[in-house]
Amino acid sequence: MYIVLEGIDGTGKSTQTKLLQEHLLKEGYQVETVVEPTKSEIGKLIRVQLKNEESTQDTNQQILALLFAADRLTLKDRILEVKGDKTKFILSDRSFYSSIAYQDNPNIDMQWLRKVNDYTPQPDMMILLDLDEDEAIKRCDETEVFETKEFLRRTRQKYLKFLEEENTYKIDASQIVEQVHEDICKLIEENIM
Ligand code: TYD
């Protein structure tokens, strides 16, 4: 199964991905974790761009959108090996949902953005760690171009719209870490085990 954790910066995706991996390993499943941007050369390039204020300018936003899509494709074959298989898991900290939420701006045509992400596998399950922007910004180091309160507010609203799509679920990320973890485990047990 290809399960993705999503949410604005500061919602605890990496902590929860790790806890979920430990839990599923204990239950006897084969589990791998990945993170976007990845550790590939494309991912490294993206991380440099994320510290660069110019990344928010029009053409650079389009370049960044393509880099995110290309970086994502480096994971494709690994994901296809486990997608739909209930004995094996790939847990991903972010996915194409991040692109749709974060790269949505006047310089980017959304149909084009969806198109360049067409070859990326669809998650079996998307779990949104939902948190309001006031709380989220407190948990960010604010060193990346997307880490501003107004940007996070708009991005959160876009994430909430995904909940109309199938295989998407929301968790209240303002709770303590253990409770968020428990809620995630319950969601997975009830919906795909
Ligand atoms: P993030 O998960 O915040 O990494 P870290 O915690 O190490 O800083 O991801 C980096 C940023 O990249 C984050 O602000 C969201 C953004 N992003 C996009 O804009 N589009 C994408 O497709 C992805 C995967 C991430």
Side-chain angles (χ1 to χ4, degrees), residues 58-73:
D58 51 3
T59 310
N60 291 338
Q61 286 181 338
Q62 294 154 8
I63 293 171
L64 201 52
L66 288 172
L67 287 176
F68 279 122
D71 184 41
R72 186 161 295 131
L73 284 176

Side-chain angles (χ1 to χ4, degrees), residues 1-4 17 24 30-34 75-83 85 88-93 124-125:
M1 300 304 261
Y2 170 38
I3 299 184
V4 305
T17 304
L24 291 170
Q30 189 179 311
V31 192
E32 211 187 316
T33 61
V34 290
L75 301 173
K76 180 179 159 196
D77 293 341
R78 277 156 78 191
I79 293 170
L80 289 179
E81 270 175 37
V82 307
K83 190 174 144 61
D85 182 338
K88 296 179 186 161
F89 288 87
I90 280 202
L91 310 177
S92 186
D93 176 343
D124 292 303
M125 192 172 192

Side-chain angles (χ1 to χ4, degrees), residues 92-146:
S92 186
D93 176 343
R94 298 195 180 278
S95 68
F96 83 97
Y97 282 105
S98 288
S99 269
I100 307 297
Y102 279 76
Q103 270 66 62
D104 182 4
N105 66 63
N107 300 307
I108 295 197
D109 174 69
M110 288 312 279
Q111 268 181 324
W112 171 82
L113 186 64
R114 285 193 179 262
K115 193 87 196 144
V116 294
N117 279 283
D118 253 8
Y119 294 113
T120 208
Q122 191 70 29
D124 292 303
M125 192 172 192
M126 185 277 262
I127 301 173
L128 172 62
L129 300 188
D130 182 49
L131 185 64
D132 81 41
E133 61 280 2
D134 290 312
E135 194 50 43
I137 199 84
K138 282 192 220 155
R139 303 189 193 175
C140 289
D141 57 12
E142 296 180 64
T143 57
E144 289 177 355
V145 289
F146 299 132

